[in-house]
């Protein structure tokens, strides 16, 4: 009752295992070319970088909330009836928050790729 080699056959030779099962197999089960690349790809982040990575989701959530609040404020019908200075400050705050969010997302992806 071996595998037929068909794509849906879970008994097929070389069939893919779920990610959890693959992680439990250990490095010795990896093909030689993958095993050679693995140490460079899984370098452990320094304490400082790991801490930064751990804090980024909170920072991203905070920025997304701030952006949503500013967008709600700006979309109010009477927003542009305010003084030019107030409008300028709020629009600048929105642009700054969007820039910070983009930078945080980019940094998060960089750290995820390193770790």
């Amino acid at each position: 009752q071996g595998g037929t080699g068909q794509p849906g056959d879970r008994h097929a030779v070389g069939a893919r295992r779920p990610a959890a099962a693959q992680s439990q197999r250990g490095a010795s089960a990896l093909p030689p070319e993958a095993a050679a690349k693995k140490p460079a790809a899984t370098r452990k982040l320094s304490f400082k970088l790991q801490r930064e990575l751990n804090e980024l989701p909170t920072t991203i959530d905070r920025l997304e909330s701030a952006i949503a609040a500013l967008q709600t404020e700006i979309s109010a019908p009477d927003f542009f009836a305010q003084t030019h200075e107030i409008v300028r400050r709020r629009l600048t705050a929105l642009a700054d928050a969007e820039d910070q969010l983009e930078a945080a997302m980019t940094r998060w992806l960089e750290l995820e790729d390193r770790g």
Side-chain angles (χ1 to χ4, degrees):
Q1 288 186 342
T4 62
Q6 298 299 319
D9 187 359
R10 61 180 225 189
H11 297 290
V13 175
R16 294 190 57 87
R17 295 177 139 199
Q22 287 179 351
S23 66
Q24 293 173 355
R25 291 190 304 176
S28 62
L30 292 175
E33 63 277 356
K37 293 179 184 177
K38 189 171 171 101
T42 59
R43 267 185 305 191
K44 188 173 178 178
L45 293 174
S46 69
F47 176 78
K48 181 180 174 184
L49 293 178
Q50 184 62 50
R51 184 173 168 195
E52 180 183 356
L53 177 61
N54 292 344
E55 292 172 354
L56 278 168
T58 303
T59 301
I60 290 169
D61 286 342
R62 180 183 49 79
L63 288 166
E64 287 175 337
S65 295
I67 289 169
L70 287 165
Q71 289 172 335
T72 299
E73 182 182 343
I74 290 168
S75 67
D78 61 343
F79 175 74
F80 288 99
Q82 300 177 73
T83 66
H84 173 71
E85 185 59 28
I86 291 172
V87 170
R88 186 188 62 74
R89 275 189 276 147
R90 302 317 290 162
L91 292 175
T92 300
L94 176 61
D96 289 347
E98 289 172 337
D99 290 345
Q100 290 173 15
L101 177 61
E102 185 177 343
M105 296 288 276
T106 300
R107 182 63 175 160
W108 182 51
L109 291 173
E110 289 171 359
L111 292 175
E112 282 286 314
D113 286 345
R114 277 185 173 185

